Amino acid sequence: MHVIGKVWRSGAVALAVGFGLLEAPAPSHAQRGPQGAYCASNDNRFARCQVPWRDAELVQQMSKTRCVRDQTWGFDRNGIWVDKGCRGQFAPAYGRQYDDGRGRGWGRPPQQLQVRCESHGGNRQFCPVDLRRDDQVRMVNKLSGADCRQGRSWDWSRDGIWVDRGCRAVFVVERRY
């Protein structure tokens, strides 16, 4: 094909898109709720969710696939993106703390996130939550008659909170920036 034909074809495609004759895939809109927005990579496919925030943080992982910032989810000028099966509840993030290991930096007061985690039938249940080094987790409301004692029937790690032996409770994650 001659150069003139290529230029004409690319110009025709640009005009067709401009007039709406050809459709470009539209970005997904996040399903917003009281705690933020839900965004999902279904069938391990890349997806974008538009939100009116300048940055986001994962507040609860909703998939078996681990959601890791800048690997299976991220945030850019087009909103939240998820990939490789990551599904989660996201909330606005208002800045990042500078931490050089000596407590220097800036931040804001701790943000609290509530997570409900329940052991049914006495079985261990893991509730994925993206926890950071400086986060603190505490039980605020015991929902079961079973004993809920940290280190015995519940605890937490960087990946989330686990409950066991019939412990059902609401936990608060204090996020420090």
Side-chain angles (χ1 to χ4, degrees):
M1 180 178 280
H2 295 292
V3 174
I4 294 172
K6 287 182 183 179
V7 170
W8 183 85
R9 179 177 285 185
S10 65
V13 169
L15 282 174
V17 169
F19 286 112
L21 300 174
L22 296 176
E23 290 187 26
S28 302
H29 290 277
Q31 296 176 0
R32 292 186 204 145
Q35 290 189 355
Y38 175 78
C39 194
S41 162
N42 295 320
D43 299 323
N44 290 326
R45 292 184 182 188
F46 181 88
R48 279 193 187 281
C49 299
Q50 292 179 341
V51 291
W53 315 323
R54 291 179 179 243
D55 195 6
E57 65 180 339
L58 177 69
V59 292
Q60 187 167 10
Q61 181 176 304
M62 310 293 277
S63 59
K64 290 182 181 180
T65 300
R66 192 156 173 215
C67 295
V68 179
R69 187 168 185 137
D70 298 326
Q71 292 179 24
T72 56
W73 80 273
F75 193 89
D76 58 27
R77 64 186 177 140
N78 297 313
I80 301 167
W81 60 263
V82 289
D83 199 8
K84 300 176 185 159
C86 171
R87 293 189 310 273
Q89 189 75 21
F90 296 86
Y94 296 102
R96 299 195 184 273
Q97 180 180 12
Y98 166 78
D99 186 1
D100 64 359
R102 293 177 281 197
R104 295 181 183 160
W106 60 272
R108 59 189 169 112
Q111 179 185 25
Q112 291 188 347
L113 162 72
Q114 286 194 353
V115 177
R116 182 177 177 144
C117 198
E118 303 182 15
S119 165
H120 294 284
N123 297 319
R124 180 176 277 231
Q125 177 66 38
F126 182 76
C127 300
V129 180
D130 183 25
L131 297 170
R132 298 182 183 132
R133 180 183 57 173
D134 294 331
D135 291 349
Q136 296 294 316
V137 177
R138 61 186 166 86
M139 183 178 63
V140 292
N141 189 12
K142 188 171 105 170
L143 304 172
S144 64
D147 186 35
C148 291
R149 190 175 314 162
Q150 187 173 4
R152 179 184 166 120
S153 54
W154 79 270
D155 217 333
W156 63 281
S157 67
R158 188 175 170 121
D159 296 331
I161 301 167
W162 62 264
V163 290
D164 202 359
R165 303 176 182 183
C167 175
R168 295 183 297 122
V170 175
F171 300 90
V172 165
V173 176
E174 286 188 0
R175 180 139 298 158
R176 299 185 186 277
Y177 289 90

